[in-house]
């Protein structure tokens, strides 16, 4: 088991212990002599967060066991061992900024429940994701 899966398993364990303390605190601690009862939103949120960490930890455990040892898992590794090409990053792409703006429009539409803004944000988001995905797949423009 590698470090990445151990991190998510540890977070899931912490969330499980926190969930137990939360349930006991909500159900059995009285405030001014009145017991409020179960508070389901917090319980469901903590259970879902714990399950998300378990799923991520399981996925990382599954994929790490089928790959070579990474430099961050090797105890004698030096900084240079992880050097190399990490990926291709487009320095002059406008599409991440467009995606951020469209997510902001969509989020404001959801917050204020303006259906026209939700539709506008969804259309802008689909357009910007398509532009980002096809940025290098389309033929170049001729000036």
């Amino acid at each position: 088991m590698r470090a990445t899966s151990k991190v998510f398993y540890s977070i899931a364990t912490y969330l499980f212990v926190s969930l137990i303390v939360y349930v006991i605190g909500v159900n059995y601690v009285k405030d001014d002599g009145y017991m409020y009862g179960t508070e389901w939103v917090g319980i469901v949120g903590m259970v879902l967060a714990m399950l998300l960490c378990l799923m991520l930890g399981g996925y990382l455990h599954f994929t790490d066991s089928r790959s070579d040892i990474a430099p961050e898992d090797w105890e004698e590794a030096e900084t240079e061992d992880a050097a190399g090409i990490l990926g291709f990053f487009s320095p002059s792409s406008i599409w991440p900024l467009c995606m951020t703006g469209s997510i902001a429009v969509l989020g404001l539409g959801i917050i204020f429940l303006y259906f026209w803004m939700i539709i506008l944000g969804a259309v802008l988001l689909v357009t910007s994701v398509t532009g980002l995905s096809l940025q290098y797949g389309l033929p170049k423009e001729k000036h």
Side-chain angles (χ1 to χ4, degrees):
M1 186 165 37
R2 307 253 174 101
T4 52
S5 57
K6 285 181 184 178
V7 166
F8 281 103
Y9 288 147
S10 301
I11 294 172
T13 304
Y14 169 76
L15 287 171
F16 180 71
V17 172
S18 297
L19 176 65
I20 291 171
V21 171
Y22 182 76
V23 168
I24 290 171
V26 167
N27 288 326
Y28 298 110
V29 174
K30 294 181 181 179
D31 187 25
D32 297 332
Y34 180 73
M35 189 178 297
Y36 292 105
T38 305
E39 198 274 318
W40 288 105
V41 175
I43 294 171
V44 170
M46 291 183 77
V47 167
L48 290 176
M50 182 186 66
L51 290 175
L52 175 67
C53 288
L54 285 174
M55 286 186 342
L56 284 171
Y59 170 75
L60 291 171
H61 185 86
F62 179 77
T63 55
D64 283 345
S65 64
R66 285 156 180 73
S67 63
D68 293 335
I69 189 164
E72 56 266 15
D73 293 323
W74 184 33
E75 292 188 18
E76 290 85 26
E78 297 291 330
T79 305
E80 306 84 50
D81 294 334
I85 298 173
L86 297 176
F88 175 72
F89 303 102
S90 179
S92 61
S93 178
I94 192 69
W95 295 113
L97 180 64
C98 294
M99 286 176 64
T100 305
S102 60
I103 289 171
V105 170
L106 180 64
L108 286 172
I110 291 171
I111 289 170
F112 294 114
L113 204 58
Y114 292 149
F115 293 111
W116 64 270
M117 192 179 278
I118 294 172
I119 293 169
L120 177 66
V123 168
L124 289 173
L125 184 61
V126 168
T127 305
S128 60
V129 167
T130 304
L132 181 68
S133 300
L134 299 176
Q135 182 173 3
Y136 294 104
L138 296 175
K140 300 214 184 247
E141 295 180 10
K142 295 183 181 181
H143 296 287

